[in-house]
Amino acid sequence: MADEAKAKGNAAFSAGRFEEAARHFTDAIALAPGNHVLYSNRSAALASLHRYSDALADAQKTVELKPDWAKGYSRLGAAHLGLGDAASAVAAYEKGLALDPSNEGLKAGLEDAKKAAAAPPRRGPSGPDAIGQMFQGPELWSKIASDPTTRAYLNEPDFMQMLREVQRNPSSISMYLSDPRMMQVLSLMLNVKIQRPEASEPSQSTPPPPPQQQQQQTSPLQTKAREVEPEPEPEPMDFTDEEKERKERKAAAQKEKELGNTAYKKKDFEAAIQHYTKALELDDEDISYLTNRAAVYIEMGKYDECIKDCDKAVERGRELRADFKMISRALTRKGTALVKLAKTSKDFDIAIETYQKALTEHRNPDTLKKLNEAERAKKELEQQEYYDPKLADEEREKGNEFFKEQKYPEAIKHYTEALKRNPKDPRVYSNRAACYTKLGAMPEGLKDAEKCLELDPTFTKGYTRKGAIQFFMKEYDKAMETYQAGLKHDPKNQELLDGVRRCIEQINKANRGEISQDELQERQNKAMQDPEIQNILTDPIMRQVLNDFQENPRAAQEHLKNPGVMQKIQKLVSAGIVQMR
């Protein structure tokens, strides 16, 4: 019975009926609660509905049930990314790749998450639902669980239902503010402490001062006497001749180090080497002389000498139990030398490993930056080494043959290999998008279609692929925009013209009320997740325009003369938010 419900869910997902798919997967989970695949599938359906908080909960359950299943981390990363938590998304994709290093979906997800992490922060939400948006972050649950005043609420079903409703619809928070539990959680999220009556009451009795304070309550005469009493001079320490000599050698070594630092700043590298070498001869218990000399060898291009000094510094540092930061510095400089020596992508492996060892000693931002740069350089070099347009065309043709035979997973495999051989071919992205569409993997297909158009904005097939996927996802307004953009490059393309016609038919059906209430509600809910729609609805000017449409038609007609207002109204009509009668 669970398999039957799962099959129904898969069919609904492939048809773009994500709400229905989520319901079928929920039925299957009730019958087989230990099946990790069911939670994974429901997470994908919820993510397609932009219900990322619920998708995250299912992804976490997937990983809990099957921690060695790479796809679970793909779901986890997608949910984190949807919630705007790019750092957690990066961590999830990296865990998945540790289990399956060749997984293309995880690699692509990791790349997107890293781009999101590096991007400037988005402007926060505006309008009346700004407070409700605070409940969207992944830190909500951890904050509630860690606070003793709110922890018990997590065991109350009606409270959990309220929270999920606010996460799905941030503007609904106003309905629940009368509930003291919601006010308590809101004060926690705002970091505003609610003053309790008992906190302001004075204590009944003042405890006696501690003994130390009692001792300090001395008379002024005693204090004055204590001030004039001279403190005894410390007795000079006695040193053996050997200890005196050791102390003098350390002081001399420090002077040599300072001279070496000065020479290094002046780029007098030969002199710097001499001073650091002399410091080592005087004192072999300070590994900074080795790491400094290693830095000079890097500047001189003597990378093998640098590596030798770094290895000595690590070995000697372990013997002396030196500061872990010094060990990390030696390993970082060794990694830098190894990167300089790298000629092939495999040469970067030992450098990356060395940087990772350095980070286990001390998580230094500079080392982390060097590690990321080494990983990028390795990836770029791998692509250059693997680049072969001729073999890429052969793989593309193989993919085409499998596509004709309706063997879409096999076709995807060959298209992916073709992209490894030639990542700049828009045709392959378009073809792979078609395969994903056939398999019902709409987000992946949309991503490939967008990449296709990024590589070649004039490639008409890319617009038909992207528009078709958006149509299947019931985003008719976006699909129409895509088809119209393609028509600018090929005005007579029949596929694009048919696509525009289909979108207009669906939009008009909604305006005429020819779709079911459930379909209309689903369409509106999806549109409300669009940041552009949210901004339009929270814009004070547009709120006045919409109000005039209902109460002052003459003023509304004046508003429509403004092209910007007209465009926004059309956007709301296309999304099913506003109906024109």
Side-chain angles (χ1 to χ4, degrees), residues 162 165-166 169-180 182:
M162 278 195 296
E165 179 58 27
V166 172
N169 183 11
S171 61
S172 68
I173 189 172
S174 57
M175 299 166 52
Y176 304 114
L177 290 178
S178 59
D179 191 308
M182 186 61 75

Side-chain angles (χ1 to χ4, degrees), residues 242-303:
E242 184 179 346
E243 288 173 334
K244 288 179 181 178
E245 182 182 355
R246 181 169 173 268
K247 188 176 180 181
E248 289 171 357
R249 289 174 68 86
K250 281 187 172 292
Q254 282 296 321
K255 287 183 180 179
E256 291 293 337
K257 178 183 176 181
E258 291 171 4
L259 292 171
N261 292 346
T262 302
Y264 178 82
K265 291 175 183 177
K266 294 179 179 179
K267 299 191 179 297
D268 187 356
F269 300 131
E270 291 291 348
I273 291 290
Q274 292 175 8
H275 287 300
Y276 291 139
T277 302
K278 182 64 176 176
L280 277 168
E281 293 171 356
L282 292 167
D283 179 15
D284 66 346
E285 295 182 351
D286 188 339
I287 64 171
S288 69
Y289 309 141
L290 282 166
T291 57
N292 284 15
R293 191 170 70 178
V296 180
Y297 282 136
I298 289 177
E299 295 293 338
M300 298 174 72
K302 296 182 177 181
Y303 305 122

